[in-house]
Amino acid sequence: MAVLQRIPNTTHVYEGSFTKSEFTSIDAQRLIDIHSQSPSVRVKPEYLYNSAQSPSLSNSQSFDLEESSSSPFRESNSTRDSLLSTASEKIVLMTGAEQSSVVQPLLTDLYQISMAYAYWKSNKHQEMATFDLYFRKNPFGGEYTLFAGLEECLKFIRDYKFHPTDIEYLRASLPAYLEAEFFDYLSKLNMNDIKVYAVPEGTVVFPRLPLLRVEGPVLKTQLLETTLLTLVNYASLVATNAARFRSAIGADKTLLEFGLRRAQGPDGGLSASKYCYLGGFDGTSNVLAGKLYGIPIRGTHAHAYVNSYECLEDLSERDLADRITGERRPFTDLCVQYLNELGPILKILPEETHKGELAAFISYAIAFPTNFLALVDTYDVLKSGLPNFLAVARALHECSYQAVGLRLDSGDLAYLSMEVREKFHTVAANFNLPYMGHFNIVASNDINEDTLVSLEKQGHSIDSFGIGTHLVTCQRQPALGCVYKLVELASSPRIKISQAIEKVTIPGRKNLYRLYGHDGKALCDVLTSIDEPQPQAGIRMLSRHPFLEQKRAYVTPSAVRNLYVLYWADGEIKAPLPTLKEVRAYAREQIDQLRKDHIRDLNPTPYKVSVTDSLFQFMHKLWMKSVPIGELD
Amino acid sequence: MAVLQRIPNTTHVYEGSFTKSEFTSIDAQRLIDIHSQSPSVRVKPEYLYNSAQSPSLSNSQSFDLEESSSSPFRESNSTRDSLLSTASEKIVLMTGAEQSSVVQPLLTDLYQISMAYAYWKSNKHQEMATFDLYFRKNPFGGEYTLFAGLEECLKFIRDYKFHPTDIEYLRASLPAYLEAEFFDYLSKLNMNDIKVYAVPEGTVVFPRLPLLRVEGPVLKTQLLETTLLTLVNYASLVATNAARFRSAIGADKTLLEFGLRRAQGPDGGLSASKYCYLGGFDGTSNVLAGKLYGIPIRGTHAHAYVNSYECLEDLSERDLADRITGERRPFTDLCVQYLNELGPILKILPEETHKGELAAFISYAIAFPTNFLALVDTYDVLKSGLPNFLAVARALHECSYQAVGLRLDSGDLAYLSMEVREKFHTVAANFNLPYMGHFNIVASNDINEDTLVSLEKQGHSIDSFGIGTHLVTCQRQPALGCVYKLVELASSPRIKISQAIEKVTIPGRKNLYRLYGHDGKALCDVLTSIDEPQPQAGIRMLSRHPFLEQKRAYVTPSAVRNLYVLYWADGEIKAPLPTLKEVRAYAREQIDQLRKDHIRDLNPTPYKVSVTDSLFQFMHKLWMKSVPIGELD
């Protein structure tokens, strides 16, 4: 199968599979660019292919929408995973210096700049601050979230630098009485003296967990707010959405992301492809995502292609060479002959199938004889598309090829897929070609999570789903409400109170631990003050709801995991960053470590996020102190 | 006021206001880059400011979240529009060659490439095709849509070119038996022999109107599909959303887009800022959008800034110089003194206001004495934030400055704004400072279209709205379903039929006219076959529903407008492209030309999109011909 290959800068070529431990932090700094969210494209990437591993048939797999797993003509690849390990996984590396992107210091809210000035003006800008980045509610009515976007955050922090034109623009936009020294300060600013602790990308997370803990001078940590939120919010939202689609349909089906045309902007489409793959999808139609992130790409033809033929006379090329003998065969005549044979088998009128559609299928099969997958709903699935497809598939067999399958893009997908499967079996029996019973059925019409749940309940015969609009725009909830709150300044904890209790922050620098039960499932998460000892396996502790004093429980974990990793300090990335594919595998493990009732579709059980008793007491004391007492009159 | 200034490339400097007629097509080709949707930023724009028009106070206006309209201390700018014409409107020009972007040929679905090969393989790729780009349903339960994204489409077409690394990637991803000649063909491909007719950007449009009519070789026109859809779909959706927010609140309020942190990806945030402005918003918090598109930028401070002060002793700078005399005043002491005076006036306990909040306000006022706008809900709006704000505002007055106003970010906005306004009037009367009754009230907590409608019904005293999540992610409907359909090939009309009637296409090349009644309001739109004469003012004609034969009406227009403009032909942009600000004004005119019942909030009347009788007959004949007849048994 394909060899994973990375080419950092110009000097080293790595080959073979990587494990996390093989990365150094220097590699990590380079490799972070691989999955860059907003890549520019007119860069000059150091771009290489391993030509030794590109035989034609292996190559062609990356082009299949889906492959039949029983092909006698191709290299045997019986599992979905192996099918997806193809040429398109070769990873293209771009170094930071070569990239340009909209992700840069000015991609922020104006008030960050005005606060920066006010801090600077009052000489408060060097005070050490800690900010927590977290959300308050899981999306989509669920009880878990996949954390994504970290690599992009680290890249943004690493490359943070105002451009001279940025400074010019700010100087012209802000009041003229701002001191020149402030703009000088901004122009030289970098993020080398801040620290970022974070949970690893792909971790299952919950409301109120600080996903990032950002420490450093208050001016700098404040300046990062908007961009970090932008990078985490949508990435985590769409990755979670993808994971939910995956949970709804099970591990054995193929899920393909087809959302580019309906995404919220071009880069929204690119981010969607990347993070849907992270969340458990198998491939994308987005070619640029394939090139930039090594995601398998898939796709065949559209209705327009079918419409482009009116009749068989439109065919300029009518023949096809036999795959094995090379003998030229009268392919179009064979198709017509088999269509007529199919009439009584399928109980349809061969003369009533649309001959423009048949011509389109024939020309497509001539172009891609190893990858024939036909869109069959342009005129009528059962009366036209299906018989035309089967006629071409049977003729392909006559030329020593195997068709792949068909795609349904309208109508009742459960019913049609079962009807089509039944016809596949009938034809397989009639022609004595068992593989035809297992042709792939791809479905792709406005599918959302509810559709998948409903299809699973009704029964269906679909093998692959192409999912677009509702997946990438997150129809059910198009935004995740991550926030970024000051929790400590100049060694003094800060609380942000609110009349809305869920908006109150948990003050102070904190650590974050996941406690596991004896069955290996996650029991609850615990936030501790930075100076408290780590919870210990086998030691009973009191965990408390952060806001409600009556809600508390003793817990004796079988295992404890510190969820934080120090990712950025001393101006460099401190921890290895896994590949996108590794993050994808980790995310799946993470979901598997949750109890089933946390991830079920209907009324899932909330997962417990708690604080230690000491943090509870501390927080509530500060809270009381901050609320003014009114006077009744 | 600010002088509109554009600097194409390096040679010309234009000053003064432009009208559409002043543009040549060459200018247009350059100016298209101004509003580029996915700008890269590490470009080297030719960047200039008109220093003659930047006195300090005029400059400071671009920084105001909102200005009091009655300031005696500043240049008088009594209308919202003039307030927004500031330094930030100077337009930065970037030429195509300097830009890189994710908008490029590989940002497409794989099946476009596979169809391109199949067309090429069967020597059909040069056949002349026409595609229509349209949507089937207005978004948000409304009856109109603003068309946006055209300029981006034209720029994409103009710059269409596969990069050598794109070709390498495709070669490695597609089956190995594809001919080298095909990849050579792709690598040389440009869009110089296609034509694009379109309705102007900012036009009000309706379901089934072809917004773009793309003509040219089928391989090329097909290759454009996904990217054109990506560029039009979200742009039109979010512009329409913004227009609906504007309609809900009326023309006299200020609407500010604050959505970057919750947008679907970084570029989603940038597109949102641009197209919300097009749709009728007044400004954005997004600094990069200000720099790239000349949109006014706004913003003051966050809760974190308030939390960064614990008490008055945290203030390192306690004084402020008088604006007029320059005399150093004990500003902090003045604030405390006025807070005590405000106790009985506001019926609050001065000692119970949060002194950290007061310190934050004081330091912010010292940093921005001309632009003091305070976020007042960190602790308690009425018991703490409001008295602290008023104390600082009164002290600012003592130093010859005027405060701007306050921002509410939680709670019952209608109630709080009216309470706050009442206190403003009380204080204005007590201090005999009438302008204090008119301090700006900005509101910004999770506002959506329904909130605005409800606020209008309840009554409120809000002057400006900062709107984020629901605006930019289009909560009510996060995607517009634009499609791109083949309607003619090799001079033969094509129809795409479907079991879902609304998915049937209107075949053939068509023209598009808007018919107006004697009151100047739009009556209906009519599609004609390309060879039919243009409908004439004063001439009665039969207009028909495209699908339902019983629905028809005679119409005698008072005026007729051909909605199509030829924008791209002979490898160049053929028609002038207005500035973003001009498109914004045009969009507002367009909405004003609709009857009120088409744009009302509740059960709006659908606008009629019709076809001529001749097109109706032609279409239905082709439709019948394409549907197979079944056999009952």
Side-chain angles (χ1 to χ4, degrees), chain B residues 452-574:
Chain B
L452 293 182
V453 170
S454 158
L455 282 169
E456 283 297 281
K457 282 183 188 153
Q458 291 174 72
H460 66 89
S461 293
I462 300 162
D463 303 290
S464 300
F465 295 86
I467 308 184
T469 314
H470 303 310
L471 174 68
V472 306
T473 63
C474 301
Q475 173 205 34
R476 238 194 219 191
Q477 180 185 323
L480 180 66
C482 278
V483 294
Y484 183 84
K485 295 292 174 187
L486 180 71
V487 293
E488 187 177 292
L489 186 66
S491 302
S492 154
R494 308 291 160 130
I495 190 169
K496 194 244 154 189
I497 63 166
S498 168
Q499 275 141 321
I501 191 171
E502 73 279 4
K503 286 194 170 184
V504 174
T505 60
I506 302 177
R509 279 201 297 157
K510 297 170 292 291
N511 275 319
L512 173 54
Y513 301 96
R514 184 152 295 168
L515 277 45
Y516 295 87
H518 53 84
D519 58 354
K521 301 283 183 193
L523 278 177
C524 68
D525 287 3
V526 179
L527 289 164
T528 71
S529 294
I530 196 84
D531 47 7
E532 286 188 87
Q534 169 162 347
Q536 296 296 318
I539 308 287
R540 187 164 172 258
M541 65 174 291
L542 181 63
S543 78
R544 304 198 58 164
H545 189 286
F547 301 130
L548 306 173
E549 57 181 345
Q550 296 80 9
K551 286 201 171 184
R552 52 208 175 134
Y554 288 111
V555 55
T556 308
S558 296
V560 174
R561 179 180 166 205
N562 179 352
L563 285 186
Y564 278 144
V565 175
L566 175 62
Y567 278 105
W568 176 262
D570 310 320
E572 61 180 23
I573 291 172
K574 290 286 186 187

Side-chain angles (χ1 to χ4, degrees), chain A residues 208 495 497 501 504-507 529 545-547 611 613-626:
Chain A
R208 290 193 290 271
I495 190 167
I497 64 165
I501 191 170
V504 174
T505 59
I506 302 176
S529 294
H545 188 286
F547 301 130
V611 296
D613 187 55
S614 148
L615 180 53
F616 181 92
Q617 303 293 352
F618 166 74
M619 170 185 175
H620 284 251
K621 212 165 116 185
L622 200 62
W623 191 352
M624 289 300 285
K625 203 178 110 188
S626 302

Side-chain angles (χ1 to χ4, degrees), chain B residues 288-304:
Chain B
L288 189 58
K291 180 182 175 191
L292 295 173
Y293 309 133
I295 303 171
I297 51 174
R298 296 291 183 272
T300 53
H301 70 83
H303 294 114

Side-chain angles (χ1 to χ4, degrees), chain B residues 6-14 18 23-36 46 91-99 151-152 154-155 158-159 292 568 571-579:
Chain B
R6 298 190 190 81
I7 308 95
N9 249 345
T10 53
T11 46
H12 298 86
V13 175
Y14 298 115
F18 278 70
F23 288 97
T24 66
S25 70
I26 295 165
D27 290 335
Q29 249 179 288
R30 287 172 176 160
L31 288 167
I32 191 172
D33 295 314
I34 294 173
H35 307 303
S36 164
E46 304 303 323
I91 288 176
V92 181
L93 189 102
M94 292 191 286
T95 64
E98 288 166 326
Q99 283 196 288
E151 201 172 66
E152 288 302 311
L154 295 172
K155 180 175 170 298
R158 184 194 63 188
D159 298 341
L292 295 173
W568 176 262
E572 61 180 23
I573 291 172
K574 290 286 186 187
L577 295 174
T579 64

Side-chain angles (χ1 to χ4, degrees), chain A residues 8 27 51 60 149 167 194 201 253 259 284 303 376 466 497 521 547 611:
Chain A
D27 291 334
S51 58
S60 74
I167 300 292
I194 73 153
E201 191 153 5
K253 298 289 186 282
T284 178
H303 294 112
V376 294
I497 64 165
K521 300 283 182 192
F547 301 130
V611 296

Side-chain angles (χ1 to χ4, degrees), chain A residues 116 119-127 185 217-220:
Chain A
Y119 284 132
W120 182 87
K121 176 80 176 171
S122 58
N123 201 28
K124 200 179 168 70
H125 57 295
Q126 295 286 21
E127 282 184 9
Y185 178 83
V218 65
L219 180 147
K220 297 186 181 189

